[in-house]
Amino acid sequence: MSEPQIEYRPPKHYAGIRTQAPLSEWGRVNALLPEVQGWLAERGVAVVGPPMYRYHQVDEAGVIDVEVGWPVAEPVEGDGRVTAQEVPEGDYAVAVHEGSPDTIRETFDRLDEWSDRTGEYFDVRDGVWAGRFETYLTDPAHEPDMGKWRTEVAYLLNRG
């Protein structure tokens, strides 16, 4: 991983499903991506970028509160299961993880070390992330070798 970069990002719309799961059930979380994509396709809504995961919180038992979704150009009207959401505007610490998602923890650790070293702190309130995202830059259908996958990790910085 290269040194994280600070990037300003405008708000961005997405449609997603929020769930909670431990890592041992991550296949169930990943299975939500095609569900959201199909939901959007049924409504004629175009996806405008790669899939993303938004992490809200990890509890003491290791259960992750996560939202799985796809960016869209305009807000959509949700149906209770799929909801319209927005990536918050602001400055983000951004790094690209290269390799299998199974080793992404290394990138998280490097971002934490970078934060400690630079004094650039992530926006976390009462254990809830205001903006912590993974965006999958590599399409597994085009690159089956997970060692070549690229995943962007972006954490909203606390500027207030």
Side-chain angles (χ1 to χ4, degrees):
M1 179 192 95
S2 59
E3 184 76 2
Q5 301 297 308
I6 297 175
E7 296 179 11
Y8 166 78
R9 298 208 168 166
K12 178 170 61 174
H13 302 288
Y14 69 94
I17 296 175
R18 190 168 177 173
T19 191
Q20 294 81 36
L23 284 177
S24 62
E25 296 177 17
W26 213 246
R28 178 174 59 81
V29 174
N30 291 333
L32 297 174
L33 280 174
E35 181 180 344
V36 175
Q37 190 174 35
W39 186 92
L40 289 166
E42 287 173 3
R43 287 155 180 78
V45 178
V47 168
V48 296
M52 52 189 263
Y53 289 36
R54 180 179 190 169
Y55 295 89
H56 293 280
Q57 189 173 29
V58 179
D59 72 15
E60 292 178 11
V63 175
I64 302 167
D65 181 356
V66 61
E67 206 164 11
V68 176
W70 294 87
V72 294
E74 299 293 328
V76 297
E77 187 173 328
D79 66 1
R81 176 146 173 89
V82 176
T83 60
Q85 299 297 331
E86 188 174 81
V87 173
E89 174 181 24
D91 290 329
Y92 284 79
V94 180
V96 175
H97 173 76
E98 296 188 13
S100 169
D102 294 339
T103 61
I104 202 162
R105 180 78 218 159
E106 297 168 7
T107 300
F108 299 159
D109 291 344
R110 289 189 184 129
L111 276 160
D112 289 340
E113 291 166 3
W114 172 86
S115 173
D116 291 342
R117 186 177 74 251
T118 64
E120 293 282 359
Y121 298 108
F122 309 131
D123 196 347
V124 182
R125 297 177 189 152
D126 298 321
V128 178
W129 293 83
R132 179 179 173 179
F133 297 90
E134 288 177 18
T135 302
Y136 291 85
L137 305 175
T138 304
D139 182 346
H142 294 115
E143 179 53 70
D145 181 354
M146 291 192 334
K148 295 180 181 177
W149 288 6
R150 299 179 76 237
T151 306
E152 180 189 83
V153 179
Y155 292 177
L156 181 64
L157 296 172
N158 186 342
R159 298 294 195 181

